[in-house]
């Protein structure tokens, strides 16, 4: 069982920034698609962003231009830089890992809380 570990969540005012990190063990990190999902209170978990092994990225429309996903394969670490945060961005953010060629998520992190409030 792969253990993904997120960090970097917290309380921030609207317009502020946070950077989330996700560390994944193992020697195959660079081959996996790594992503972020979030779940707001009373809502379903939703896709936020993903970085694939070939360097391509994808984002949900509502975060384009504000969030940036990146990865450091040498450190087995993925990041989500979140700028211009809005109250609607509040939720638990989950790190995800997807095996090459698979459409479903292989592993999840435990989640980190992000709260955007004045």
């Amino acid at each position: 069982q792969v253990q993904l570990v997120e960090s970097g969540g917290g309380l921030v005012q609207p317009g502020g920034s946070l950077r989330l990190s996700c560390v994944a063990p193992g020697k195959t990190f660079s081959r996996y698609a790594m992503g972020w999902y979030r779940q707001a209170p009373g809502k379903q978990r939703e896709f936020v962003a993903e970085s694939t092994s070939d360097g391509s990225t994808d984002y949900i429309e509502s975060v384009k231009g504000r969030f940036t996903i990146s990865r450091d394969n040498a450190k087995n670490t993925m990041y989500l830089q979140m700028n211009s945060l809005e109250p609607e961005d509040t939720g638990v953010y989950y790190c995800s890992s997807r095996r090459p060629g698979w459409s479903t998520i292989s592993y999840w992190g435990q989640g980190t809380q992000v709260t955007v409030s004045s």
Side-chain angles (χ1 to χ4, degrees):
Q1 182 71 19
V2 174
Q3 190 79 11
L4 306 180
V5 180
E6 303 102 330
S7 62
L11 172 64
V12 64
Q13 292 186 342
S17 298
L18 282 176
R19 189 176 81 155
L20 306 183
S21 299
C22 172
V23 179
K27 300 179 180 179
T28 58
F29 175 85
S30 63
R31 297 175 53 217
Y32 279 54
M34 300 296 297
W36 292 96
Y37 285 70
R38 67 187 179 189
Q39 187 166 18
K43 294 187 178 181
Q44 289 188 332
R45 190 176 299 189
E46 66 174 357
F47 168 83
V48 176
E50 186 177 68
S51 170
T52 61
S53 59
D54 64 0
S56 63
T57 57
D58 190 20
Y59 300 89
I60 190 174
E61 191 65 32
S62 61
V63 308
K64 287 182 179 179
R66 300 188 298 120
F67 290 12
T68 303
I69 190 171
S70 62
R71 60 197 294 169
D72 185 338
N73 291 333
K75 296 182 178 179
N76 279 20
T77 304
M78 173 184 63
Y79 306 96
L80 185 68
Q81 178 66 43
M82 304 186 293
N83 299 328
S84 302
L85 282 161
E86 303 168 353
E88 293 74 23
D89 296 317
T90 294
V92 179
Y93 282 67
Y94 296 91
C95 173
S96 67
S97 177
R98 184 164 58 84
R99 289 189 180 97
W102 287 46
S103 60
T104 56
I105 299 300
S106 304
Y107 305 105
W108 293 98
Q110 81 287 353
T112 185
Q113 177 70 45
V114 171
T115 303
V116 184
S117 175
S118 55

